[in-house]
Amino acid sequence: MKGLKTRLLALMLPVVVGACGGPWNNPYPARESGENILYSAFTERPKHLDPVQSYAENEAVFTAQIYTPPLQYHYLKRPYELVPLAAAEVPHPVYHDAAGRRLPDSAPAERVAYSIYEVHVRPGVLYQPHPAFAKDENGRYRYHDLKPDDLKQVYELRDFKHTGTRELVADDFAFEIRRLAHPRLHSPIFGLMGEYIVGLKDYAAKLQEAAKKLPADGYLDLSSVPFEGVEVVDSHTYRIKVKGKYPQFVYWLAMPFFSPVPWEAERFYSQPGMTDGKNLSLDWYPVGTGAYMLTVHAPNRMMVLERNPNFAGEPYPSEGEPGDEQAGLLQDAGKPMPFIDKVVFSLEKESIPYWNKFLQGYYDASGITSDAFDQTVQMNAGGDVVLTDSMREQDIQLQTSVATSIMYMGFNMLDPVVGGESERARKLRQAISIALDQEEYVSIFTNGRGIPGQGPIPPGIFGYREGEEGINRYLYDWVNGEPRRKSVDYAKKLLAEAGYRDGIDKVNGKPLIIYFDTTASGVGGKSRIDWLTKQFQKIDLQLVVRSSDFNRFQDKVRKGTAQLFFFGWNADYPDPENFLFLFHGPQSRTLKNGENAANYQNPHYDHLFERMQVMDNGPERQALIDQMVEILRHDAPWIYVFHPKDFTLAHSWVYNRKPNKMANNGLKYQRIDPQAREKMRAAWNHPVLWPVAVLVVILVLAAAPAVASYRRRERARGRLAAA
């Protein structure tokens, strides 16, 4: 019996001893313990990391850390402010008339034939190490003339033994602008930029013709075709020529589409055999000058960013908005970034494992799922959102921010019932807008994470009005210092004035039916539809829901056969024009294939929009915006449901986190305390050893009878043999 106990304990000893080396449930290698590594997760694999094609948020998590467009948004200041990144300063447009004569800055838009943006590139910036730059002893590129046999043992980028670098120059930015027109790349902004960058459409057509003369895998030399839209002045200066006066163009210079791409990278990746089962392309292995570079691209498991050894550093901001200093966001002012050496993103397809690992300290930050909301936050007596006791005990930090987005229900203004300019249709739309209780929707379906909309412009964007002057008076009254939704009785009164008393159309004597097109399905979709049906019942209207798949739904909106639909819009840049253009008549989805999904048309609004569009921010522009928003509230082509509010959590060892809805390059600003993290992980993930001891006792007790019986048989056999 004693021997058996000894053997069982010997089997359990490695497990018990292993517990002393750290938490048993640690998902990361032991060698990373205490390292300056940020741990995060991603839920969907990025499709494009080539800046000419990348436009999705889950891709920007990576591209924004790797590439350096000319401009970026100030990390701390609000409203959002453009500041230099790869450029030496924010470029100011120079205006010219049709004869090429320079015009004053105050020149009216109708006199401006084109604008010139001259960008000065910061000197001394180097690219990350990459084999595309590698040269031999004679100065020739090592990997620009590869043969199929050269790639037989190459499966990923690290299989190339040599790397190199070079300085960032103006031609790299010009090269990327040319790539917008590349016939094989299909940039999502080519159509829009073709309307603004001089000669881009014509350049694309000529490239198409040139590509036809090449074999399918032939290298298309973009410099072989002349292009008027971009000019390289010298090694660190280039100019972009834009049609007319388009002040919003400067915002595009902060997007990845205008990041520098070296010709060497495209030449390197365009060689035959690079993509054949190897994924050797800019879409898989970016080449940039940013703070980080992608070193592991295994999207079914992990993505890893590591500090770019050639990054010269960038100082942490020394000023922000009021409250930033008190929040500790200026403690690192002036210090060189980045602070973190490595960022590991693990694939998490399910929210529950993600959330549990965050609570265990294995992810440094997290959002809040609906399932975990009540466990995480609660409302205090003053109506403010605060963390629950369990979250505060772990010293978890909560940050909230309003997204530069609007979720809305759109009326199809081409529809014969809810659309058009008639007083009858307008009052019908207003009555429905009052009946749909946005506050209740936000409370039920977003856990209160939203601000009911009063108009199309979100908070934080120029033109948004706060307080009493910002309410939609067609839907709200201002009572005791806050907006109060008009009553259902008032909505019924509007409905009666529209000719639908008690929901009956006085023209034909039939109940009025409103059709709502949606892709909603499943339990969550049904609850929203049930709620929406009840909102219409409040004013005696019948709602018929027409569900379809996403493609069918989009087709109905495009053709103008939908009557009422739910949509959303995220800002491309922080300018009111990016929201108000959604009502511009020439942008009609059905008539012009534009972004005006409601097909709203109002000549007076269009006139004001075209004036506002080319103005700089100031009192005059604000006055025009106020007029435009008032027109939209009166005509009610949308129900402004809500502006989403994001809640994020971070552990106490993470510093310098501030939500920035216009920028995605926030990793370089963040700092962590790895030692504090290790200490808290150990405290939160103590191995529970008593079950092991119980298991050992159970095993010993279970084995004891068998051992005793075995020994009795052995002794009996021994006595028999002796006899």
Side-chain angles (χ1 to χ4, degrees):
M1 190 70 173
K2 182 178 179 182
L4 176 64
K5 289 181 181 179
T6 302
R7 287 194 294 273
L8 286 172
L9 289 174
L11 289 172
M12 300 304 300
L13 185 61
V15 179
V16 176
V17 172
C20 301
W24 292 359
N25 61 346
N26 191 340
Y28 307 116
R31 66 178 181 277
E32 293 183 357
S33 177
E35 293 295 312
N36 185 21
I37 300 173
L38 182 77
Y39 293 98
S40 187
F42 65 105
T43 58
E44 185 180 358
R45 63 179 295 171
K47 184 178 180 181
H48 294 296
L49 297 182
D50 183 338
V52 82
Q53 294 178 287
S54 178
Y55 207 7
E57 288 187 28
N58 70 311
E59 297 164 356
V61 171
F62 304 101
T63 58
Q65 325 307 326
I66 297 166
Y67 295 108
T68 54
L71 307 178
Q72 63 181 340
Y73 291 96
H74 195 286
Y75 185 60
L76 301 177
K77 289 184 179 180
R78 306 291 184 274
Y80 296 104
E81 178 183 323
L82 284 172
V83 294
L85 182 55
E89 67 277 322
V90 178
H92 183 77
V94 176
Y95 304 124
H96 296 264
D97 63 15
R101 293 184 295 263
R102 180 168 178 171
L103 298 172
D105 292 347
S106 59
E110 56 269 20
R111 289 191 60 199
V112 178
Y114 58 90
S115 309
I116 298 292
Y117 288 82
E118 184 170 286
V119 181
H120 301 280
V121 180
R122 288 194 296 116
V125 175
L126 297 178
Y127 280 99
Q128 67 183 70
H130 194 276
F133 302 118
K135 293 183 178 181
D136 61 20
E137 296 78 5
N138 298 315
R140 292 190 297 263
Y141 289 101
R142 290 180 179 271
Y143 304 121
H144 282 206
D145 190 23
L146 297 174
K147 304 297 185 291
D149 287 347
D150 297 328
L151 295 173
K152 283 185 176 179
Q153 300 303 316
V154 173
Y155 302 98
E156 53 186 356
L157 202 64
R158 69 182 67 188
D159 291 332
F160 291 98
K161 295 181 180 179
H162 302 278
T163 62
T165 187
R166 70 160 171 81
E167 185 183 13
L168 173 68
V169 294
D171 190 63
D172 299 329
F173 293 89
F175 183 69
E176 169 67 355
I177 295 172
R178 287 176 176 268
R179 295 179 78 240
L180 295 174
H182 199 299
R184 298 172 187 159
L185 295 178
H186 310 295
S187 176
I189 69 161
F190 168 73
L192 178 64
M193 288 298 108
E195 299 297 323
Y196 289 109
I197 298 178
V198 173
L200 187 62
K201 286 184 177 179
D202 182 58
Y203 177 64
K206 292 178 180 177
L207 287 179
Q208 286 273 13
E209 291 301 314
K212 291 177 182 178
K213 301 174 184 178
L214 296 172
D217 57 358
Y219 177 69
L220 179 60
D221 184 359
L222 300 182
S223 63
S224 63
V225 177
F227 175 35
E228 183 184 358
V230 63
E231 174 193 2
V232 176
V233 179
D234 58 42
S235 62
H236 289 83
T237 308
Y238 68 101
R239 294 173 182 156
I240 307 172
K241 191 174 183 179
V242 175
K243 298 175 186 176
K245 191 175 185 180
Y246 180 40
Q248 292 77 27
F249 182 76
V250 71
Y251 293 115
W252 288 95
L253 297 181
M255 295 189 189
F257 305 107
F258 290 86
S259 299
V261 170
W263 70 266
E264 293 95 333
E266 181 146 304
R267 183 70 185 85
F268 171 79
Y269 285 128
S270 66
Q271 297 176 91
M274 282 287 191
T275 58
D276 297 343
K278 304 175 188 295
N279 289 320
L280 293 172
S281 67
L282 271 175
D283 254 349
W284 201 266
Y285 292 110
V287 185
T289 58
Y292 292 97
M293 58 185 189
L294 187 68
T295 56
V296 176
H297 189 162
N300 294 323
R301 182 177 58 89
M302 171 187 301
M303 306 281 284
V304 177
L305 293 171
E306 294 188 53
R307 182 193 292 264
N308 175 5
N310 295 336
F311 186 67
E314 179 185 349
Y316 186 89
S318 57
E319 57 181 347
E321 64 176 338
D324 283 348
E325 186 169 6
Q326 292 82 349
L329 289 168
L330 292 175
Q331 291 181 1
D332 292 316
K335 295 179 181 178
M337 303 184 295
F339 300 112
I340 295 168
D341 294 332
K342 185 177 180 180
V343 186
V344 175
F345 298 87
S346 301
L347 178 64
E348 291 286 1
K349 293 185 176 181
E350 303 294 334
S351 60
I352 293 176
Y354 190 167
W355 176 247
N356 288 337
K357 288 177 186 176
F358 169 73
L359 294 180
Q360 293 165 340
Y362 295 124
Y363 288 133
D364 296 313
S366 173
I368 307 176
T369 64
S370 297
D371 294 338
F373 193 82
D374 292 337
Q375 173 190 351
T376 308
V377 298
Q378 58 191 10
M379 303 289 288
N380 64 15
D384 298 321
V385 176
V386 296
L387 288 168
T388 58
D389 291 341
S390 61
M391 294 294 107
R392 288 198 297 271
E393 286 172 4
Q394 288 190 252
D395 202 14
I396 290 173
Q397 313 297 316
L398 170 68
Q399 290 182 318
T400 64
S401 59
V402 180
T404 50
S405 309
I406 175 74
M407 306 302 295
Y408 69 90
M409 292 188 72
F411 295 99
N412 177 14
M413 298 297 283
L414 299 178
D415 184 82
V417 177
V418 301
E421 303 175 11
S422 69
E423 192 75 358
R424 176 183 172 94
R426 180 180 63 79
K427 288 189 175 181
L428 171 60
R429 293 192 298 269
Q430 289 182 355
I432 293 173
S433 299
I434 293 170
L436 198 151
D437 191 334
Q438 297 141 270
E439 289 79 7
E440 186 175 280
Y441 182 94
V442 171
S443 175
I444 294 174
F445 297 110
T446 73
N447 298 110
R449 288 178 283 185
I451 297 177
Q454 301 287 345
I457 303 175
I461 302 294
F462 181 84
Y464 177 80
R465 291 287 196 180
E466 296 274 3
E468 184 175 2
E469 64 179 354
I471 69 167
N472 183 347
R473 296 193 177 276
Y474 296 96
L475 274 62
Y476 290 86
D477 296 312
W478 189 257
V479 181
N480 298 326
E482 61 182 13
R484 179 180 297 174
R485 178 173 292 276
K486 291 183 183 293
S487 68
V488 171
D489 288 339
Y490 182 77
K492 288 183 175 181
K493 175 177 177 293
L494 287 175
L495 207 58
E497 293 173 359
Y500 302 106
R501 184 180 299 277
D502 299 325
I504 304 298
D505 187 341
K506 71 176 183 179
V507 175
N508 57 29
K510 296 180 180 180
L512 177 62
I513 298 176
I514 302 297
Y515 296 93
F516 175 63
D517 285 280
T518 180
T519 60
S521 60
V523 177
K526 184 180 184 304
S527 62
R528 283 174 168 80
I529 289 170
D530 290 345
W531 177 87
L532 190 61
T533 302
K534 291 178 182 178
Q535 304 303 298
F536 279 78
Q537 289 173 348
K538 291 189 302 188
I539 55 174
D540 304 315
L541 292 184
Q542 296 183 31
L543 183 71
V544 173
V545 177
R546 301 187 294 201
S547 296
S548 59
D549 61 34
F550 181 76
N551 290 334
R552 174 65 180 148
F553 170 74
Q554 291 284 1
D555 191 55
K556 294 174 78 171
V557 173
R558 189 182 74 254
K559 291 181 178 178
T561 58
Q563 190 177 66
L564 181 66
F565 54 89
F566 192 91
F567 254 20
W569 183 261
N570 295 318
D572 289 308
Y573 44 83
D575 190 272
E577 181 262 357
N578 196 231
F579 291 90
L580 298 176
F581 92 109
L582 298 170
F583 304 93
H584 190 214
Q587 286 284 334
S588 166
R589 176 69 58 86
T590 301
L591 303 178
K592 302 289 185 180
N593 198 31
E595 294 294 346
N596 178 356
N599 299 304
Y600 175 71
Q601 296 183 79
N602 182 315
H604 183 44
Y605 177 90
D606 290 347
H607 173 69
L608 295 176
F609 173 81
E610 286 155 14
R611 287 178 56 199
M612 179 282 306
Q613 182 182 28
V614 296
M615 295 173 67
D616 295 324
N617 289 342
E620 186 179 357
R621 196 182 198 212
Q622 180 69 66
L624 283 182
I625 291 170
D626 291 341
Q627 291 182 56
M628 295 166 66
V629 171
E630 182 64 17
I631 291 171
L632 296 175
R633 289 169 174 164
H634 174 269
D635 290 351
W638 283 10
I639 302 172
Y640 311 101
V641 182
F642 71 104
H643 305 290
K645 195 172 185 180
D646 295 333
F647 286 28
T648 59
L649 303 171
H651 287 293
S652 58
W653 57 75
V654 184
Y655 301 90
N656 300 337
R657 280 180 58 89
K658 182 175 182 178
N660 188 318
K661 297 304 174 183
M662 295 313 306
N664 297 285
N665 62 344
L667 286 179
K668 63 186 177 184
Y669 301 94
Q670 296 180 45
R671 177 169 57 82
I672 62 170
D673 183 342
Q675 285 69 41
R677 178 173 60 192
E678 289 301 312
K679 181 179 178 181
M680 298 307 293
R681 280 181 180 176
W684 297 339
N685 298 278
H686 255 312
V688 181
L689 298 180
W690 66 262
V692 177
V694 171
L695 178 62
V696 170
V697 171
I698 291 173
L699 289 173
V700 170
L701 293 176
V707 171
S709 176
Y710 171 78
R711 287 183 171 177
R712 283 196 298 270
R713 288 197 302 272
E714 289 298 306
R715 284 195 293 270
R717 288 175 183 171
R719 288 194 294 271
L720 183 61

